[in-house]
Amino acid sequence: MPSDADDAASGGVKRKPPQAAAPESRPFDSWLNRQLHALYDDITREPLPDDLVALIDRHSQQAVDERPDGETSAEPTDTDRRDKT
């Protein structure tokens, strides 16, 4: 929350923070985005290894068990997501 001292320091004028340019207007960002997608899109579509899914599920179950009120999340687990594909 700006104080009166902040307003006095800026001459009483409230300024908006500068906004970053849209990614499509920055050539390097567009190029980098395309290159990363070309390299990694296929990898991101691969299923997770079973041992990693088991590790995630174990950790998720521990987190649920440690909740004081026993509430559970409505979010599907990674196993649920993987089984639907």
Side-chain angles (χ1 to χ4, degrees):
M1 185 102 199
S3 67
D4 291 335
D6 292 336
D7 288 341
S10 65
V13 177
K14 293 185 181 187
R15 299 181 185 168
K16 292 183 180 180
Q19 294 184 0
E24 59 274 358
S25 68
R26 298 182 301 195
F28 176 76
D29 290 345
S30 297
W31 172 84
L32 181 61
N33 190 22
R34 285 191 309 272
Q35 297 302 315
L36 290 172
H37 277 283
L39 285 171
Y40 296 112
D41 275 354
D42 290 338
I43 294 169
T44 61
R45 290 186 191 108
E46 293 178 6
L48 291 174
D50 291 335
D51 56 340
L52 182 58
V53 171
L55 179 66
I56 294 169
D57 287 343
R58 264 197 321 269
H59 176 71
S60 297
Q61 186 59 46
Q62 286 175 351
V64 169
D65 291 345
E66 292 173 1
R67 288 185 182 169
D69 57 2
E71 72 181 45
T72 60
S73 172
E75 291 290 319
T77 65
D78 289 326
T79 304
D80 295 336
R81 289 185 191 106
R82 188 173 51 117
D83 291 340
K84 291 181 182 178
T85 58

